[in-house]
């Protein structure tokens, strides 16, 4: 299992549309993946879970992955978060 802290850079955070992109990317990996924010952990492949965290721009989250492709999963999701802009 590995984890990495990442700051959500777009100003609106992970609302419905960027969360959908995030989930789509998370589902490309076989590993179990979670997002943790403010001591709450949710499945990163669940839209309702991610939305329930209320992640706004500037929030620091932890991406946690456990499985055969855990390194690729964390790096891929971190990269996606960096590319999301305010239009997404």
């Amino acid at each position: 299992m590995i984890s990495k802290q990442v700051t959500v850079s777009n100003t609106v955070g992970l609302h419905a549309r960027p969360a959908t992109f995030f989930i789509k990317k998370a589902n490309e990996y076989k590993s179990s993946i979670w997002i943790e924010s403010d001591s709450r952990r949710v499945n990163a492949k669940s839209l309702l879970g991610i939305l329930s965290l209320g992640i706004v721009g500037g929030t620091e989250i932890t991406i946690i992955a456990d499985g055969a492709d855990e390194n690729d999963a964390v790096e891929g999701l971190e990269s996606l978060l960096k590319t999301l802009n305010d239009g997404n």
Side-chain angles (χ1 to χ4, degrees):
M1 179 168 22
I2 66 165
S3 64
K4 187 165 193 175
Q5 290 188 325
V6 179
T7 301
V8 177
S9 59
N10 74 349
T11 56
V12 295
L14 283 180
H15 63 83
R17 188 168 180 171
T20 301
F21 292 133
F22 190 91
I23 292 161
K24 189 173 184 178
K25 184 71 172 174
N27 277 304
E28 293 177 9
Y29 303 103
K30 293 179 182 174
S31 294
S32 297
I33 306 169
W34 301 274
I35 296 178
E36 193 171 89
S37 177
D38 294 329
S39 301
R40 291 185 55 221
R41 182 183 290 191
V42 299
N43 182 343
K45 298 178 182 181
S46 164
L47 180 61
L48 289 177
I50 291 175
L51 294 178
S52 74
L53 293 177
I55 298 168
V56 296
T59 301
E60 188 172 271
I61 63 171
T62 303
I63 301 171
I64 305 159
D66 186 21
D69 55 359
E70 61 191 24
N71 289 315
D72 292 337
V74 170
E75 294 305 316
L77 292 169
E78 177 187 22
S79 178
L80 174 71
L81 285 175
K82 289 179 181 178
T83 64
L84 291 176
N85 59 39
D86 295 335
N88 291 328

